[in-house]
């Protein structure tokens, strides 16, 4: 079992990274129970976090995976908390959305670049892809290439 | 099976074709992910028609692969048969409560409960089958559910491990599934008189366990997707024999063409209170065959 300190550290790293990269206010999550499993951060209501029962398979929703140099929010989490994203969002049209849902990598059209920087502040790394007002999921951006991070089980093909 | 349907009083020339005809496709709006207005605007091309008894459930005219829609991917909608949305409508979950869904996989009703609770409080979504748990967790994920703990226990255990704990309990029981023949013939493969006997024994244990796990003043719903009286009125009567003060409440849902519970079957008289059970038949109601009982525990 992991010590409480390590768990708190991992959660704090996840929250501060979500704030730094996406502008998500960490206070939003303070009203929930957060916990870790390996390098994943999970979120549930306090009652769901505290209840003791035999043979619990899981509690709540996995919201992020913490890597050595980055934090990737899950598709399920950004679909729920997408309205909180202020930075590093890319807007996809219908065709791009279809490819994204199918789990593909694609060249996307980013807004005008001024002096090497995207005017909307989108930088290489994990971004949240949107269609209209709806957060679709997470992509990995490098230049104009967007690699969909939609898990295999959630992909929509055709 | 047909002889039994005839014995239940159905005119087979009407009943059987209706049973085999797929009902209209329906979806439920998942308010954990978006508002009713937002989703209806987004799906206006499908011309959704409200079912009447639940303002988040809609029928569509033309058949669609709902699973391929963006709205489905986003978890804004859940494709669910109209009848299957009734048990939770009748259960009427409230925010901040503690609720048990005793046989929850694949999660159509658990996700509906979580949405009605607005992702607050505690929902325990239990199922005994290790094979069916992944579909349950996948549906909870897609629906954005945060208030749920998934357990893998025989529902029979809850009466002991969580006595008088829950505000509400749903027992959407394993059953002979006669009402689902329009969707698949799987029910025919498992159907036999001995299967009904075996299932009704399990259902009796589950309904007792659920009643024990309910707080005084709590409410539970017992539902099946089958017509067999042994699995419906028989199970509820069994509970009433053991707990005569349990109350089978009448339910009145707007626009729903339902029938009362059977008063007897093959010479067995049921407890008169089972007339308050809601019975749905495919030749009268556009949805799968279902049976729903709302039962409360006195304070
Ligand atoms: C009718 S299905 C439930 C459907 C589910 N409520 C939904 O709406 O998606 C019945 C479920 O009961 C489960 N089951 C069977 N025996 C059980 C038991 N003794 N305890 C708990 N679950 C059981 C089965 O694995 C099956 O998933």
């Amino acid at each position: 079992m992991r010590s409480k300190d390590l768990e708190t550290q991992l959660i704090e790293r996840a929250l501060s990274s979500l704030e730094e990269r996406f502008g998500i206010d960490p206070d939003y999550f303070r009203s929930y129970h957060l916990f870790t499993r390996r390098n994943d951060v999970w979120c549930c209501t306090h009652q769901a976090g505290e209840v003791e029962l035999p043979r619990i398979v899981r509690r709540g929703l996995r919201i992020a995976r913490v890597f050595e140099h980055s934090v990737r929010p899950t598709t399920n989490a950004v679909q729920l908390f997408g309205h909180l994203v202020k930075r590093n969002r890319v807007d996809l049209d219908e065709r791009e959305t279809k490819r994204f849902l199918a789990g593909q990598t694609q060249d996307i059209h980013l807004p005008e670049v001024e002096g090497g920087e995207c005017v909307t502040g989108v930088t290489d790394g994990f971004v949240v892809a949107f269609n209209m007002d709806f957060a679709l999921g997470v992509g990995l951006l490098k230049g104009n290439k967007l690699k969909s991070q939609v898990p295999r089980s959630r992909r929509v093909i055709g | 099976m047909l002889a039994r349907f005839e014995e239940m009083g159905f005119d087979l020339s009407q009943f059987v074709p209706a049973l085999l005809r797929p009902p209209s496709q329906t979806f439920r709006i998942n308010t954990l992910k978006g508002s009713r207005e937002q989703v209806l605007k987004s799906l206006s091309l499908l011309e959704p028609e409200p079912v009447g008894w639940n303002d988040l459930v809609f029928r569509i005219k033309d058949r669609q692969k709902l699973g391929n829609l963006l709205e489905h991917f986003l978890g804004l909608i859940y494709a669910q048969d109209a009848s299957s949305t009734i048990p939770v409508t009748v259960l009427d979950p409230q925010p901040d409560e503690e609720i048990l869904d005793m046989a929850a996989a694949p999660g159509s009703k658990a996700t509906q409960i979580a949405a009605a609770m607005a992702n607050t409080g505690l929902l325990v979504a239990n199922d005994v089958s290790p094979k069916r748990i992944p579909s349950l967790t996948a549906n909870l994920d897609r629906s954005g559910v945060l208030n749920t703990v998934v357990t893998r226990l025989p529902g029979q255990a809850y009466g002991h491990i969580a006595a008088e704990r829950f505000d509400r309990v749903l027992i959407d029981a394993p059953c002979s599934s006669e009402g689902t023949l329009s969707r698949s013939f799987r029910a025919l493969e498992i159907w036999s008189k001995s299967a009904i006997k075996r299932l009704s024994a399990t259902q009796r244990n589950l309904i007792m366990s659920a009643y024990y796990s309910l707080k005084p003043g709590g409410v539970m719903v017992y539902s099946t997707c089958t017509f067999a009286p042994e699995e419906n009125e028989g199970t509820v009567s069994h509970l009433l024999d053991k707990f005569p003060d349990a109350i089978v409440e009448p339910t009145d849902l707007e626009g729903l063409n339902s029938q009362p519970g059977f008063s007897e079957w093959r010479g067995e008289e049921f407890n008169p209170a089972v007339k308050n059970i809601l019975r749905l038949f495919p030749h009268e109601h556009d949805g799968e065959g279902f049976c729903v009982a709302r039962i409360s525990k006195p304070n």
Side-chain angles (χ1 to χ4, degrees):
Chain A
M1 201 171 192
R2 166 177 287 157
S3 78
K4 259 289 151 267
D5 281 357
L6 273 179
E7 177 158 46
T8 312
Q9 268 176 28
L10 203 71
I11 291 170
E12 288 310 319
R13 240 193 91 198
L15 293 187
S16 63
S17 167
L18 292 179
E19 181 176 29
E20 209 173 288
R21 181 136 187 98
F22 301 107
I24 297 177
D25 182 354
D27 281 347
Y28 183 83
F29 293 101
R30 308 263 180 229
S31 55
Y32 291 105
H33 176 84
L34 297 176
F35 62 98
T36 62
R37 284 266 171 302
R38 289 189 283 274
N39 290 337
D40 292 331
V41 179
W42 290 71
C43 174
C44 61
T45 57
H46 285 290
Q47 289 97 317
E50 282 151 21
V51 65
E52 287 187 22
L53 288 167
R55 303 234 197 124
I56 290 185
V57 177
R58 63 131 83 185
R59 299 174 196 258
L61 194 81
R62 190 167 71 86
I63 59 163
R65 171 155 295 176
V66 180
F67 297 105
E68 203 178 333
H69 298 295
S70 60
V71 170
R72 182 182 65 195
T74 61
T75 302
N76 296 319
V78 298
Q79 286 189 356
L80 198 58
F81 306 124
H83 58 284
L84 303 172
V85 171
K86 298 201 189 81
R87 290 193 281 281
N88 283 307
R89 77 174 256 171
V90 295
D91 289 286
L92 304 184
D93 63 25
E94 289 309 309
R95 253 221 221 137
E96 292 166 336
T97 297
K98 270 203 158 158
R99 291 195 205 112
F100 185 83
L101 264 52
Q104 296 174 6
T105 300
Q106 59 184 316
D107 285 324
I108 55 162
H109 172 79
L110 283 169
E112 289 296 291
V113 172
E114 280 175 7
E117 262 207 34
C118 178
V119 285
T120 49
V122 180
T123 58
D124 280 1
F126 291 122
V127 294
V128 177
F130 277 76
N131 178 291
M132 316 283 264
D133 284 338
F134 296 116
L136 303 168
V138 176
L140 184 59
L141 187 73
K142 193 160 187 229
N144 275 343
K145 267 210 185 329
L146 180 70
K147 186 174 181 197
S148 167
Q149 304 288 296
V150 172
R152 225 168 269 280
S153 58
R154 292 288 312 272
R155 289 180 191 167
V156 182
I157 295 160
Chain B
M1 190 187 273
L2 290 181
R4 282 172 53 96
F5 290 160
E6 210 159 23
E7 228 180 307
M8 288 176 211
F10 300 129
D11 172 352
L12 293 187
S13 67
Q14 279 182 8
F15 185 76
V16 175
L19 181 60
L20 299 178
R21 192 169 45 237
S24 304
Q25 250 182 322
T26 40
F27 67 84
R28 170 173 56 78
I29 293 176
N30 173 24
T31 47
L32 297 181
K33 286 288 191 80
S35 70
R36 185 178 184 272
E37 291 63 39
Q38 209 175 15
V39 178
L40 287 180
K41 193 170 151 210
S42 178
L43 287 176
S44 59
L45 285 179
L46 301 185
E47 299 179 52
E49 290 277 341
V51 291
W53 66 83
N54 182 324
D55 49 346
L56 296 174
V57 182
F58 294 83
R59 289 198 172 91
I60 52 173
K61 280 198 204 85
D62 300 320
R63 299 203 81 75
Q64 290 280 335
K65 278 199 169 156
L66 289 174
N68 280 356
L69 296 178
L70 175 63
E71 289 76 5
H72 184 273
F73 169 78
L74 292 167
L76 292 166
I77 59 166
Y78 196 109
Q80 191 175 356
D81 177 74
S83 303
S84 156
T85 65
I86 292 170
V88 176
T89 307
V90 168
L91 185 67
D92 194 22
Q94 298 296 318
D96 294 314
E97 289 183 330
E98 295 205 349
I99 300 185
L100 168 66
D101 182 351
M102 193 174 254
S108 312
K109 300 178 191 71
T111 51
Q112 190 181 356
I113 295 173
M117 298 170 81
N119 246 345
T120 61
L122 169 68
L123 169 62
V124 177
N126 174 70
D127 202 282
V128 77
S129 164
K131 268 207 307 235
R132 289 170 66 94
I133 296 269
S135 58
L136 170 61
T137 52
N139 281 321
L140 293 168
D141 279 347
R142 188 175 59 83
S143 303
V145 173
L146 295 172
N147 67 346
T148 298
V149 168
V150 175
T151 60
R152 202 187 63 229
L153 284 167
Q156 291 87 331
Y158 270 92
H160 309 287
I161 61 171
E164 302 202 337
R165 164 146 204 163
F166 296 103
D167 298 292
R168 293 174 209 257
V169 179
L170 174 67
I171 320 122
D172 188 36
C175 68
S176 54
S177 307
E178 293 163 344
T180 65
L181 285 173
S182 64
R183 189 176 0 135
S184 109
F185 287 139
R186 217 187 87 74
L188 289 180
E189 288 163 25
I190 57 156
W191 193 93
S192 67
K193 283 183 201 151
S194 63
I196 291 180
K197 210 166 166 195
R198 181 175 45 77
L199 285 161
S200 92
T202 303
Q203 290 154 356
R204 286 172 183 218
N205 291 331
L206 291 177
I207 203 170
M208 293 293 287
S209 172
Y211 197 74
Y212 283 123
S213 73
L214 204 57
K215 274 182 191 161
V219 174
M220 69 189 211
V221 163
Y222 174 80
S223 59
T224 73
C225 55
T226 207
F227 305 111
E230 298 90 330
E231 300 183 53
N232 295 310
E233 290 82 357
T235 310
V236 175
S237 262
H238 175 76
L239 176 78
L240 296 173
D241 285 348
K242 305 284 174 197
F243 292 100
D245 57 352
I247 301 159
V248 186
E249 296 183 353
T251 46
D252 184 21
L253 296 182
E254 193 188 313
L256 190 65
N257 198 359
S258 63
Q259 296 293 334
F262 292 174
S263 54
E264 58 95 32
W265 173 243
R266 294 191 161 172
E268 185 192 345
E269 292 271 337
F270 297 122
N271 186 306
V274 303
K275 69 171 190 312
N276 284 337
I277 291 179
L278 196 124
R279 281 253 191 193
L280 296 166
F281 299 123
H283 60 303
E284 297 172 344
H285 153 79
D286 186 5
E288 293 180 345
F290 241 83
C291 185
V292 183
R294 180 180 152 109
I295 300 159
S296 60
K297 189 176 198 170
N299 261 309

